[in-house]
Amino acid sequence: MKALVLSGGSGTRLRPITHTSPKQLVPVANKPVLYYVLEDIAAAGLTEVGIVVGETADEIQDAVGDGSKFGLRVTYLPQQLPLGLAHAVLIAREFLGDDDFVMYLGDNFIVGGITELVEEFRAERPDARILLTRVPNPVAFGVAELDAEGRVVGLEEKPRQPKSDLALVGVYLFSAAVHEAVRAIEPSWRGELEITHAIQWLIDHQHDVRSTTIQGYWKDTGNVTDMLEVNRLVLEGIEERVEGDVDAASEVIGRVRIEAGAQVRRSRIVGPAVIGAGTLISDSYIGPYTSISEDCRIEDTEIEFSIVLRDARLEGIRRVSASLVGRSASVTSAPRMPSGNTLVLGDHSEVQIAS
């Protein structure tokens, strides 16, 4: 069994971060989301991985290399344009051969991994197995309809009137039967070859398509809100480890990881939080659920529930919360300007002005 990881796409919902970096490499607890995906695949016992890459191919390859650091053998599969998930299966045909495979979207995060799902698929050998989860806004997802016995009877991509609240999670398991399906379908109104259409083709042609409704945590980390939520979840599980240099005037409370080479001066850090190597924290407050990447400078600043990417600088900021700060970004306090109020008041007016 092989793995197909999708790491193309432009990541429009994470702009401006994704103008300069692939969305799959945005860090959660100071580790790229894509690394969690590859670790899940390795933990499931799979070793042959094809990574579909687009315009950010060079950065993905620099980050992943040949896959050996994950215990994997990686083949890169260029996709000239993001023409849909089923199109990714089409261009991976030679790599996949007739092997079963798991297709995993490179910006998805699943607590608990995929080991049990892979073992179940290998044991039962259906033609396809999809993962589902209940969501409050199914119009934003591919949605599955199940019959009374729980069998998959229909799929629809981003329906205007969803038939259920069961959304497709970004992990799919397929036999070689899917290759005929992706060749048979036509582009959708979006101009893409939809994987939901391919799975529907399998259903319509009496192939064995099964589903698993996951009870654990799943997120598509395609926007800032979800990135921060996944970061919060991962930080909940970190272990306290202080390898950096923390002076006597600083206070570190709770589960905080401070990497070797980091410096903390006259500051307070309340976990869960992680501070990357080479970062300087001085005269600042770092609150819970905050990830500060490597080589950052946080001075005279309060920040919590945020992600700060490498080489960023925050200085003299009273409060930062629920924020994603990009690489080499600089956030400083504005110079104080004279303030005043210009008034034209009628007789007997009564005005209150905050000082």
Side-chain angles (χ1 to χ4, degrees):
M1 193 170 186
K2 294 176 179 174
L4 184 66
V5 176
L6 275 55
S7 293
S10 55
T12 55
R13 290 179 296 157
L14 270 176
R15 288 179 178 165
I17 299 295
T18 49
H19 280 309
T20 54
S21 180
K23 60 181 178 178
Q24 298 84 5
L25 297 184
V26 176
V28 168
N30 286 5
K31 182 166 67 176
V33 173
L34 180 58
Y35 284 15
Y36 292 95
V37 170
L38 296 175
E39 289 169 356
D40 281 355
I41 290 168
L46 309 183
T47 57
E48 294 288 339
V49 180
I51 300 183
V52 176
V53 291
E55 59 185 13
T56 60
D58 290 345
E59 287 188 78
I60 297 291
Q61 292 184 47
D62 287 345
V64 176
D66 63 3
S68 58
K69 63 185 174 184
F70 304 98
L72 304 171
R73 292 188 295 272
V74 169
T75 300
Y76 293 97
L77 307 169
Q79 185 183 34
Q80 299 305 316
L81 292 171
L83 297 176
L85 305 188
H87 181 260
V89 177
L90 271 178
I91 66 171
R93 182 68 176 93
E94 183 177 349
F95 165 77
L96 294 169
D98 291 326
D99 294 323
D100 295 344
F101 67 98
V102 56
M103 183 169 75
Y104 202 141
L105 305 194
D107 60 352
N108 274 228
F109 188 91
I110 298 177
V111 170
I114 61 170
T115 300
E116 186 176 335
L117 296 162
V118 168
E119 291 174 350
E120 187 177 338
F121 187 85
R122 282 173 155 164
E124 298 179 359
R125 296 299 309 282
D127 292 307
R129 180 174 289 278
I130 60 176
L131 272 63
L132 305 174
T133 190
R134 298 192 182 278
V135 296
N137 56 332
V139 293
F141 300 93
V143 173
E145 180 185 3
L146 308 183
D147 65 13
E149 284 73 40
R151 292 187 295 261
V152 184
V153 295
L155 297 171
E156 192 172 2
E157 186 67 31
K158 296 180 174 60
R160 293 178 179 175
Q161 296 182 319
K163 296 180 180 179
S164 81
D165 62 351
L166 291 169
L168 275 78
V169 173
V171 176
Y172 310 80
L173 299 102
F174 293 115
S175 74
V178 75
H179 296 300
E180 183 179 3
V182 297
R183 290 195 303 269
I185 62 175
E186 298 291 334
S188 68
W189 62 269
R190 300 193 303 167
E192 297 185 3
L193 292 176
E194 311 284 2
I195 198 66
T196 48
H197 292 178
I199 298 169
Q200 184 67 55
W201 187 94
L202 291 173
I203 295 169
D204 294 342
H205 289 78
Q206 309 306 311
H207 287 276
D208 184 5
V209 177
R210 305 182 189 182
S211 69
T212 297
T213 301
I214 63 173
Q215 304 302 320
Y217 187 89
W218 163 79
K219 276 291 184 183
D220 167 4
T221 60
N223 61 53
V224 173
T225 299
D226 288 341
M227 283 293 307
L228 294 173
E229 177 61 19
V230 171
N231 190 65
R232 181 198 65 78
L233 181 78
V234 175
L235 288 176
E236 285 279 14
I238 69 168
E239 296 182 0
E240 179 182 350
R241 189 174 78 238
V242 177
E243 297 176 342
D245 181 10
V246 181
D247 71 2
S250 296
E251 186 178 19
V252 177
I253 302 171
R255 295 190 308 279
V256 176
R257 190 175 75 220
I258 302 177
E259 302 290 354
Q263 300 180 64
V264 180
R265 301 287 182 264
R266 302 172 304 279
S267 296
R268 189 168 190 255
I269 303 177
V270 179
V274 58
I275 310 299
T279 284
L280 171 65
I281 309 291
S282 67
D283 303 297
S284 294
Y285 168 75
I286 310 299
Y289 308 117
T290 302
S291 295
I292 310 292
S293 295
E294 64 274 15
D295 299 321
C296 295
R297 296 182 67 87
I298 313 295
E299 302 179 80
D300 189 26
T301 289
E302 298 178 8
I303 183 169
E304 65 181 7
F305 190 51
S306 295
I307 299 173
V308 180
L309 276 59
R310 62 178 173 85
D311 295 315
R313 171 182 170 232
L314 285 80
E315 182 177 348
I317 308 302
R318 182 176 179 182
R319 195 73 168 178
V320 176
S321 181
S323 299
L324 176 57
V325 180
R327 296 179 299 176
S328 302
S330 179
V331 184
T332 58
S333 59
R336 297 185 66 86
M337 301 293 290
S339 60
N341 301 288
T342 301
L343 307 174
V344 178
L345 301 177
D347 297 344
H348 309 293
S349 296
E350 186 173 331
V351 179
Q352 293 182 335
I353 299 176
S355 59

